[in-house]
């Protein structure tokens, strides 16, 4: 009995300490999505009616994030669409793979956790005007590991209404907000509003309104260690290749010059010259020959008769 109570207390302490350590170590948007997914799946272990929104309770370490979820049948979601807070999914929405039950998770990351996207995405020259809203889909089933589903719009795109979303900037100074779509690879796609505080979307993901921030200094993008290592290695390899080519060219030139000198020396030694005495000095001499002139055509003049 005492051993069982001790084990229960240990598990309770670990479960209470784990969310705090996880929340403090969240630095990427992907990890944040996984943490929210796990809490949402646990909260949906109870039987909730299909199509009704359910508020997901998060630990105090994730305070500032608001999460709602709703379960749908894949076929019904495709035929009728759905309204999940600010997101309106038009009929004809595509779900891949089309599992029996789909769990839609709507996220409002608030001020603190929206900065994760700002720090990890290419959003230079702009600042967040509203918190980031997310819409993700997962499978729902007993004894099944949750995995992410792909949502895409049909003929009519999705809409995201930011009318009732809190603003992070009080005075826009006449700047018109833009719609921002945050991709998983860190890229951000900007587009114009279709109407006041209304954006369109064609797939699941994270969205926000942004405004220009000309006074904000451009941040230096950090270069990862492996990229720097690859760059240094490539630079060293190119430098070594150029050095080898230069040494090879110099060696070929020296060999060519040596060969020419050797040929000249041999030609000089093989030339036969006669040595004669000129005074008291022995000097090489050559035979002097003279070519006798010859007439090309024999011609004999007729003697004149006087």
């Amino acid at each position: 009995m005492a051993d069982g109570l001790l084990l229960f207390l240990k598990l309770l302490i670990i479960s209470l300490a784990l969310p705090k350590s996880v929340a403090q170590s969240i630095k990427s948007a992907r990890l944040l999505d996984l943490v929210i997914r796990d809490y949402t799946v646990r909260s949906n272990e109870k039987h909730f009616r299909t199509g009704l929104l359910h508020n997901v309770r998060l630990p105090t370490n994730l305070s500032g994030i608001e999460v709602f979820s709703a379960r749908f049948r894949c076929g019904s979601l495709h035929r009728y669409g759905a309204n999940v807070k600010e997101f309106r999914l038009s009929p004809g929405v595509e779900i891949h793979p089309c599992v029996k039950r789909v769990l839609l998770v709507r996220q409002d990351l608030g001020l603190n956790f929206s900065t994760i996207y700002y720090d990890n995405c290419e959003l230079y020259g702009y600042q967040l005007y509203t918190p980031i809203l997310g819409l993700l889909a997962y499978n729902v089933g007993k004894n099944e590991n949750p995995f992410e589903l792909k949502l895409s719009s049909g003929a009519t795109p999705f809409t995201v209404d930011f009318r009732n979303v809190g603003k992070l900037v009080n005075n826009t100074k006449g700047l018109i907000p833009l719609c921002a779509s945050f991709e998983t690879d860190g890229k951000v796609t900007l587009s114009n509003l279709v109407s006041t505080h209304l954006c369109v979307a064609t797939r699941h993901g994270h969205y926000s309104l942004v405004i220009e921030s000309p006074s904000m200094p451009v941040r230096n993008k950090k270069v990862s260690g492996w990229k720097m290592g690859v760059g240094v290695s490539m630079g060293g390899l190119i430098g070594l290749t150029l050095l080898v080519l230069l040494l090879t060219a110099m060696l070929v030139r020296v060999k060519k010059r040596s060969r020419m000198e050797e040929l000249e020396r041999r030609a000089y030694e093989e030339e036969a010259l006669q040595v004669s005495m000129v005074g008291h000095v022995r000097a090489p001499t050559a035979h002097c020959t003279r070519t006798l002139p010859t007439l090309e055509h024999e011609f004999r003049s007729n003697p004149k008769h006087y």
Side-chain angles (χ1 to χ4, degrees):
M1 182 69 178
D3 294 338
L5 180 60
L6 182 60
L7 179 61
F8 174 77
L9 291 177
K10 288 182 178 180
L11 293 176
L12 181 61
I13 293 174
I14 293 175
S15 62
L16 292 176
L18 182 60
K20 182 177 180 180
S21 60
V22 170
Q24 290 177 347
S25 62
I26 293 178
K27 299 297 182 182
S28 68
R30 180 59 180 169
L31 179 58
L32 180 60
D33 289 339
L34 294 177
V35 172
I36 295 176
R37 180 203 65 181
D38 292 342
Y39 280 104
T40 304
V41 172
R42 293 174 190 173
S43 66
N44 276 272
E45 291 179 353
K46 300 179 181 180
H47 295 285
F48 295 100
R49 293 184 59 183
T50 302
L52 293 182
L53 288 176
H54 166 61
N55 188 9
V56 179
R57 291 186 178 182
L58 299 176
T60 56
N61 307 95
L62 298 177
S63 60
I65 299 179
E66 183 184 58
V67 177
F68 282 87
S69 65
R71 294 189 295 185
F72 298 89
R73 291 184 178 273
C74 181
S76 299
L77 183 60
H78 173 72
R79 287 191 297 269
Y80 305 110
N83 293 329
V84 184
K85 298 293 284 186
E86 298 83 6
F87 293 88
R88 179 178 178 83
L89 280 62
S90 55
V93 57
E94 298 291 338
I95 305 99
H96 182 77
C98 187
V99 296
K100 184 177 180 180
R101 293 185 180 275
V102 179
L103 177 66
L104 295 183
V105 180
R106 171 267 189 190
Q107 307 171 354
D108 183 346
L109 300 183
L111 174 61
N112 295 331
F113 289 91
S114 293
T115 56
I116 294 179
Y117 281 86
Y118 185 82
D119 294 336
N120 292 277
C121 294
E122 301 174 358
L123 195 59
Y124 308 135
Y126 293 88
Q127 61 179 335
L128 295 176
Y129 180 58
T130 63
I132 292 179
L133 303 180
L135 180 67
L136 300 176
Y138 302 96
N139 66 314
V140 178
K142 294 182 179 180
N143 301 324
E144 292 184 3
N145 294 326
F147 57 87
E148 187 173 343
L149 306 177
K150 295 182 180 180
L151 291 180
S152 59
S153 62
T156 305
F158 306 153
T159 58
V160 188
D161 191 353
F162 290 91
R163 185 178 298 109
N164 298 323
V165 179
K167 306 302 184 290
L168 303 180
V169 179
N170 295 326
N171 186 8
T172 61
K173 297 181 180 180
L175 297 175
I176 300 177
L178 297 175
C179 301
S181 173
F182 297 86
E183 306 295 337
T184 55
D185 57 358
K187 295 183 179 180
V188 181
T189 303
L190 300 179
S191 60
N192 295 324
L193 294 167
V194 295
S195 64
T196 305
H197 299 117
L198 190 66
C199 297
V200 295
T202 58
R203 59 185 300 274
H204 65 280
H206 294 81
Y207 301 89
S208 176
L209 295 182
V210 298
I211 57 175
E212 294 183 6
S213 180
S215 61
M216 183 174 296
V218 178
R219 299 174 298 165
N220 294 326
K221 189 175 182 180
K222 295 182 179 179
V223 180
S224 58
W226 71 270
K227 290 183 179 180
M228 184 177 296
V230 171
V232 172
S233 301
M234 292 297 295
L237 181 61
I238 293 174
L240 181 60
T241 303
L242 294 177
L243 180 60
V244 171
L245 292 177
L246 179 60
L247 293 177
T248 303
M250 293 177 62
L251 182 61
V252 171
R253 185 176 180 181
V254 170
K255 286 186 175 181
K256 186 176 181 180
R257 181 181 298 176
S258 300
R259 182 174 177 81
M260 292 298 297
E261 292 177 353
E262 180 69 16
L263 292 176
E264 292 177 358
R265 186 183 63 81
R266 290 183 179 181
Y268 179 78
E269 291 179 351
E270 292 176 357
E271 184 179 358
L273 297 177
Q274 182 180 358
V275 179
S276 302
M277 293 297 296
V278 180
H280 299 285
V281 179
R282 294 172 59 88
T285 59
H287 294 284
C288 180
T289 60
R290 180 179 179 183
T291 303
L292 297 178
T294 58
L295 296 176
E296 185 176 356
H297 301 286
E298 293 184 358
F299 176 77
R300 179 180 295 177
S301 61
N302 295 325
K304 293 182 179 181
H305 299 279
Y306 297 96

